[in-house]
Amino acid sequence: MLREAKEILNMVGFKVKHVVKSGEKPPEGTSIDGILVKILGYNWESLTDLISYGFSTLNFNPKRQGLKKPLKTPIATLEDIKYVLSSQTFTRRDAVGRTSELFDPCSIWEPLKFQVKQRLVPLNGKPWDEPLSEELVDEWCEILVKFVDIPKFKVSQSVVPKTANLK
């Protein structure tokens, strides 16, 4: 079946470079660390068949030519977020920007995204670049600290129970 899939993809102009199979270690060249494979913004551990969110870290630096300057120290706690936000303004644009960074094409993390999107509603009608009140910034700090833990959550990629008889 793999051969047929490669042939069909080749006929429509797709060249298959690598095939990663569930339950197996990723082939050479498909993973930076030999464990995780990046796919659709997720990290997939093919050996254990677990998916985690591919979000790396909160970074409040502005994008320049599509990239953000790395942080001097990573954000890991609520205090870290408050410290970073105390040195800059936090606006409606920033809140929407952080929310839109949650790329989740399979809607695995939709419950978390929904909670974050609900917090955008009170910002409707506010000017995009006007600093938010201290109360709203504190509320957003509480929301953003949840982003730190997102990559720690893992879900099974398989929807077929291991006990299922597929023969």
mmCIF file of all heavy atoms in Angstrom, residues 101-117:
data_model
loop_
_atom_site.group_PDB
_atom_site.id
_atom_site.type_symbol
_atom_site.label_atom_id
_atom_site.label_comp_id
_atom_site.label_asym_id
_atom_site.label_seq_id
_atom_site.Cartn_x
_atom_site.Cartn_y
_atom_site.Cartn_z
ATOM 1 N N GLU A 101 -1.456 32.828 17.476
ATOM 2 C CA GLU A 101 -0.283 31.946 17.425
ATOM 3 C C GLU A 101 -0.640 30.502 17.751
ATOM 4 O O GLU A 101 0.148 29.600 17.520
ATOM 5 C CB GLU A 101 0.795 32.437 18.393
ATOM 6 C CG GLU A 101 1.490 33.689 17.927
ATOM 7 C CD GLU A 101 2.511 34.210 18.909
ATOM 8 O OE1 GLU A 101 2.761 33.556 19.939
ATOM 9 O OE2 GLU A 101 3.072 35.280 18.644
ATOM 10 N N LEU A 102 -1.833 30.281 18.285
ATOM 11 C CA LEU A 102 -2.271 28.920 18.610
ATOM 12 C C LEU A 102 -2.810 28.244 17.350
ATOM 13 O O LEU A 102 -3.999 28.093 17.157
ATOM 14 C CB LEU A 102 -3.349 28.946 19.698
ATOM 15 C CG LEU A 102 -2.893 29.413 21.071
ATOM 16 C CD1 LEU A 102 -4.087 29.567 21.997
ATOM 17 C CD2 LEU A 102 -1.889 28.445 21.661
ATOM 18 N N PHE A 103 -1.897 27.844 16.479
ATOM 19 C CA PHE A 103 -2.258 27.161 15.234
ATOM 20 C C PHE A 103 -2.585 25.709 15.568
ATOM 21 O O PHE A 103 -1.744 24.977 16.081
ATOM 22 C CB PHE A 103 -1.096 27.244 14.242
ATOM 23 C CG PHE A 103 -1.360 26.540 12.952
ATOM 24 C CD1 PHE A 103 -2.311 27.022 12.065
ATOM 25 C CD2 PHE A 103 -0.661 25.399 12.623
ATOM 26 C CE1 PHE A 103 -2.558 26.380 10.857
ATOM 27 C CE2 PHE A 103 -0.896 24.738 11.419
ATOM 28 C CZ PHE A 103 -1.844 25.235 10.542
ATOM 29 N N ASP A 104 -3.814 25.307 15.298
ATOM 30 C CA ASP A 104 -4.282 23.983 15.683
ATOM 31 C C ASP A 104 -5.226 23.440 14.606
ATOM 32 O O ASP A 104 -6.437 23.421 14.784
ATOM 33 C CB ASP A 104 -4.994 24.102 17.037
ATOM 34 C CG ASP A 104 -5.455 22.781 17.604
ATOM 35 O OD1 ASP A 104 -4.943 21.720 17.186
ATOM 36 O OD2 ASP A 104 -6.344 22.798 18.472
ATOM 37 N N PRO A 105 -4.678 23.006 13.454
ATOM 38 C CA PRO A 105 -5.541 22.611 12.333
ATOM 39 C C PRO A 105 -6.441 21.410 12.607
ATOM 40 O O PRO A 105 -7.463 21.256 11.943
ATOM 41 C CB PRO A 105 -4.547 22.306 11.212
ATOM 42 C CG PRO A 105 -3.265 22.013 11.892
ATOM 43 C CD PRO A 105 -3.262 22.835 13.136
ATOM 44 N N CYS A 106 -6.091 20.573 13.556
ATOM 45 C CA CYS A 106 -6.931 19.402 13.869
ATOM 46 C C CYS A 106 -7.841 19.649 15.071
ATOM 47 O O CYS A 106 -8.553 18.745 15.500
ATOM 48 C CB CYS A 106 -6.050 18.181 14.122
ATOM 49 S SG CYS A 106 -5.088 17.698 12.683
ATOM 50 N N SER A 107 -7.802 20.861 15.631
ATOM 51 C CA SER A 107 -8.649 21.274 16.770
ATOM 52 C C SER A 107 -8.454 20.405 18.010
ATOM 53 O O SER A 107 -9.373 20.236 18.802
ATOM 54 C CB SER A 107 -10.126 21.299 16.361
ATOM 55 O OG SER A 107 -10.317 22.234 15.326
ATOM 56 N N ILE A 108 -7.262 19.883 18.192
ATOM 57 C CA ILE A 108 -6.973 19.059 19.367
ATOM 58 C C ILE A 108 -7.033 19.894 20.637
ATOM 59 O O ILE A 108 -7.522 19.453 21.670
ATOM 60 C CB ILE A 108 -5.590 18.384 19.224
ATOM 61 C CG1 ILE A 108 -5.616 17.396 18.055
ATOM 62 C CG2 ILE A 108 -5.173 17.696 20.520
ATOM 63 C CD1 ILE A 108 -4.258 16.853 17.661
ATOM 64 N N TRP A 109 -6.530 21.120 20.557
ATOM 65 C CA TRP A 109 -6.452 21.996 21.733
ATOM 66 C C TRP A 109 -7.558 23.045 21.729
ATOM 67 O O TRP A 109 -7.449 24.073 22.372
ATOM 68 C CB TRP A 109 -5.078 22.663 21.801
ATOM 69 C CG TRP A 109 -3.965 21.692 21.599
ATOM 70 C CD1 TRP A 109 -3.121 21.624 20.533
ATOM 71 C CD2 TRP A 109 -3.585 20.609 22.447
ATOM 72 N NE1 TRP A 109 -2.251 20.576 20.675
ATOM 73 C CE2 TRP A 109 -2.516 19.936 21.843
ATOM 74 C CE3 TRP A 109 -4.057 20.132 23.669
ATOM 75 C CZ2 TRP A 109 -1.902 18.827 22.415
ATOM 76 C CZ3 TRP A 109 -3.452 19.015 24.236
ATOM 77 C CH2 TRP A 109 -2.397 18.378 23.606
ATOM 78 N N GLU A 110 -8.642 22.795 21.010
ATOM 79 C CA GLU A 110 -9.724 23.765 20.879
ATOM 80 C C GLU A 110 -10.328 24.195 22.223
ATOM 81 O O GLU A 110 -10.662 25.363 22.381
ATOM 82 C CB GLU A 110 -10.817 23.235 19.955
ATOM 83 C CG GLU A 110 -11.790 24.287 19.493
ATOM 84 C CD GLU A 110 -11.123 25.448 18.757
ATOM 85 O OE1 GLU A 110 -10.186 25.235 17.976
ATOM 86 O OE2 GLU A 110 -11.563 26.591 18.981
ATOM 87 N N PRO A 111 -10.469 23.311 23.213
ATOM 88 C CA PRO A 111 -11.002 23.788 24.499
ATOM 89 C C PRO A 111 -10.161 24.920 25.107
ATOM 90 O O PRO A 111 -10.706 25.893 25.617
ATOM 91 C CB PRO A 111 -10.983 22.541 25.393
ATOM 92 C CG PRO A 111 -11.113 21.410 24.427
ATOM 93 C CD PRO A 111 -10.336 21.849 23.206
ATOM 94 N N LEU A 112 -8.856 24.825 25.001
ATOM 95 C CA LEU A 112 -8.000 25.898 25.511
ATOM 96 C C LEU A 112 -8.136 27.137 24.632
ATOM 97 O O LEU A 112 -8.272 28.256 25.131
ATOM 98 C CB LEU A 112 -6.541 25.455 25.577
ATOM 99 C CG LEU A 112 -5.565 26.553 25.988
ATOM 100 C CD1 LEU A 112 -5.844 27.027 27.408
ATOM 101 C CD2 LEU A 112 -4.138 26.087 25.860
ATOM 102 N N LYS A 113 -8.116 26.952 23.322
ATOM 103 C CA LYS A 113 -8.248 28.085 22.408
ATOM 104 C C LYS A 113 -9.570 28.806 22.631
ATOM 105 O O LYS A 113 -9.634 30.034 22.590
ATOM 106 C CB LYS A 113 -8.165 27.618 20.953
ATOM 107 C CG LYS A 113 -6.768 27.330 20.486
ATOM 108 C CD LYS A 113 -6.728 26.804 19.075
ATOM 109 C CE LYS A 113 -7.372 27.713 18.089
ATOM 110 N NZ LYS A 113 -7.328 27.219 16.715
ATOM 111 N N PHE A 114 -10.629 28.049 22.899
ATOM 112 C CA PHE A 114 -11.938 28.650 23.127
ATOM 113 C C PHE A 114 -11.909 29.553 24.356
ATOM 114 O O PHE A 114 -12.439 30.659 24.343
ATOM 115 C CB PHE A 114 -13.015 27.568 23.271
ATOM 116 C CG PHE A 114 -14.382 28.122 23.533
ATOM 117 C CD1 PHE A 114 -15.082 28.756 22.515
ATOM 118 C CD2 PHE A 114 -14.955 28.023 24.785
ATOM 119 C CE1 PHE A 114 -16.342 29.285 22.751
ATOM 120 C CE2 PHE A 114 -16.209 28.556 25.029
ATOM 121 C CZ PHE A 114 -16.908 29.186 24.009
ATOM 122 N N GLN A 115 -11.268 29.086 25.425
ATOM 123 C CA GLN A 115 -11.153 29.903 26.646
ATOM 124 C C GLN A 115 -10.415 31.206 26.357
ATOM 125 O O GLN A 115 -10.794 32.270 26.835
ATOM 126 C CB GLN A 115 -10.412 29.137 27.738
ATOM 127 C CG GLN A 115 -11.175 27.988 28.317
ATOM 128 C CD GLN A 115 -10.324 27.213 29.318
ATOM 129 O OE1 GLN A 115 -9.433 27.766 29.936
ATOM 130 N NE2 GLN A 115 -10.607 25.930 29.465
ATOM 131 N N VAL A 116 -9.361 31.108 25.565
ATOM 132 C CA VAL A 116 -8.572 32.295 25.235
ATOM 133 C C VAL A 116 -9.393 33.236 24.357
ATOM 134 O O VAL A 116 -9.421 34.450 24.589
ATOM 135 C CB VAL A 116 -7.250 31.895 24.546
ATOM 136 C CG1 VAL A 116 -6.474 33.117 24.105
ATOM 137 C CG2 VAL A 116 -6.398 31.044 25.489
ATOM 138 N N LYS A 117 -10.094 32.682 23.366
ATOM 139 C CA LYS A 117 -10.902 33.515 22.470
ATOM 140 C C LYS A 117 -12.030 34.217 23.233
ATOM 141 O O LYS A 117 -12.387 35.356 22.898
ATOM 142 C CB LYS A 117 -11.478 32.666 21.340
ATOM 143 C CG LYS A 117 -10.450 32.242 20.320
ATOM 144 C CD LYS A 117 -11.084 31.338 19.276
ATOM 145 C CE LYS A 117 -10.079 30.828 18.287
ATOM 146 N NZ LYS A 117 -10.679 29.895 17.328
#
